[in-house]
Amino acid sequence: MPFALLRHSLLLAGRGLRKTRRNPGILFDALFLPIVFLLMFVYLFGGAVAGSPQAYLQYIFPGTLVMSTLMAGLLSTGVSLNVDIKKGVFDRFRSLPIGRSVPLIGSVVGDLIRYGVALVTLFLLGYLLGFRVRTDLVSALAACALAVTLGFCMSWINVLVGVLIKETSIVQSVGFLGIFPLAFGTNMVAPTETLPGWLQAWVNVNPVTHAIDATRGLLLGGPVATAASTTLIWSAGFLVVFVPLAVIAFRRRNQ
C-alpha cells in the first residue's frame, strides 16, 4: 500500500512536470522573484546596514535563499490546486483506483522543480554579484536541502488554503499575506538585536529565522546544529498538522 501511494504520487507529479514543460511561464515567479529580492535588498539596504552592498550581500544571501524557496511553494501550490479543482481535473482522479491524498501529494511533489529553478537562479546571480560560499560544496548542498525541506513542508499550509477556499484570487491573496510575517519577521534583513523588543520576540520563535541561521552557518561558517535541528522539527510539525487537514478538507470538498 505505501509503495502504491508513492508510485501513484510520482505519476501525478510527472503530470505537473509535463504542464511546466508545455507552459514554462508558470515558473516566472520562481525565476524572477529571487532576482528582484536579492538586487533590491543588496542595493537598497546594503549601505545602511553593512556599510556597502558587497558586505551586505554576504549577510543577506542565505536569508534570500530561504525566502525564495518559501515563496516558490507558498505562492503557487495552493493556486495550482485550486485551479485544477475548479476545472474538474480532480473529479476525474476520483474514478481512478488511487488514494485520496495522491492528487495532493503529486501536485506538491511536481512543484519541486520550482525550488530548483529558484535556487539555481539565486546562486548564479549571487556569484555574479560577488557572493562566495565560505564552507564547502557539501555544506552548500545541505543548506539548499534544508531550505527546500522547510519550503516543501510549509507549502502544505497553502495546499489547505487552496482546497478550502473556492476563489483562486483569494487563495493567492491569502498566500501573499501569510508569507510576509514569516519571511520578513526574521533576522534576514537585519540582526535580531537591532530590532524592537516586541519584534525580537516574534523573530526568535519564527521557524524561518532558525532556517536562516542554519543556512548562514552552512554557507558562511558558524554554529549549525541547534538551528538546523529546530528547523527540521518545525518542518515535521507542519507535515503532521497540515497534511491530514488538507486531505480531510479535500475529501469533504469532493464528496
Side-chain angles (χ1 to χ4, degrees):
M1 192 67 178
F3 177 76
L5 180 69
L6 176 62
R7 183 166 60 87
H8 294 156
S9 299
L10 291 177
L11 287 172
L12 291 188
R15 169 183 172 268
L17 295 177
R18 288 190 293 272
K19 285 172 57 180
T20 302
R21 187 175 67 247
R22 294 169 185 170
N23 183 20
I26 62 178
L27 293 175
F28 181 86
D29 57 340
L31 180 63
F32 286 100
L33 278 178
I35 296 175
V36 171
F37 279 115
L38 187 60
L39 292 176
M40 180 180 68
F41 289 136
V42 168
Y43 291 106
L44 281 180
F45 305 122
V49 177
S52 70
Q54 190 65 29
Y56 191 56
L57 175 63
Q58 293 295 122
Y59 179 84
I60 194 68
F61 185 89
T64 309
L65 184 148
V66 174
M67 186 181 69
S68 297
T69 57
L70 289 181
M71 287 191 168
L74 285 178
L75 296 184
S76 66
T77 305
V79 173
S80 176
L81 278 170
N82 186 269
V83 170
D84 280 347
I85 292 173
K86 289 176 68 175
K87 287 183 176 180
V89 174
F90 282 13
D91 289 335
R92 301 175 187 176
F93 293 153
R94 292 174 60 191
S95 63
L96 299 176
I98 59 176
R100 288 292 182 91
S101 61
V102 166
L104 300 182
I105 298 173
S107 180
V108 176
V109 172
D111 272 346
L112 286 176
I113 188 174
R114 303 174 62 82
Y115 300 96
V117 170
L119 290 173
V120 170
T121 301
L122 192 64
F123 271 99
L124 287 176
L125 178 60
Y127 186 84
L128 291 175
L129 294 177
F131 175 79
R132 297 295 183 268
V133 175
R134 296 176 180 173
T135 52
D136 51 52
L137 178 61
V138 174
S139 297
L141 292 176
C144 294
L146 189 68
V148 169
T149 298
L150 181 64
F152 175 84
C153 294
M154 289 185 66
S155 70
W156 282 94
I157 300 174
N158 217 26
V159 170
L160 176 62
V161 172
V163 173
L164 287 175
I165 299 176
K166 295 183 179 180
E167 292 299 324
T168 305
S169 59
I170 299 178
V171 174
Q172 194 167 24
S173 297
V174 171
F176 270 109
L177 292 174
I179 197 171
F180 278 98
L182 289 169
F184 293 99
T186 66
N187 60 359
M188 177 182 70
V189 177
T192 304
E193 58 270 16
T194 65
L195 304 175
W198 62 269
L199 185 54
Q200 288 187 31
W202 166 246
V203 168
N204 289 329
V205 299
N206 188 344
V208 182
T209 299
H210 299 293
I212 292 174
D213 288 341
T215 302
R216 281 202 179 105
L218 289 167
L219 294 178
L220 304 177
V224 172
T226 300
S229 59
T230 303
T231 302
L232 293 175
I233 291 171
W234 271 106
S235 299
F238 286 125
L239 283 182
V240 170
V241 173
F242 287 101
V243 172
L245 289 177
V247 172
I248 292 170
F250 179 67
R251 288 175 175 172
R252 289 181 177 177
R253 182 165 178 175
N254 288 275
Q255 284 179 350

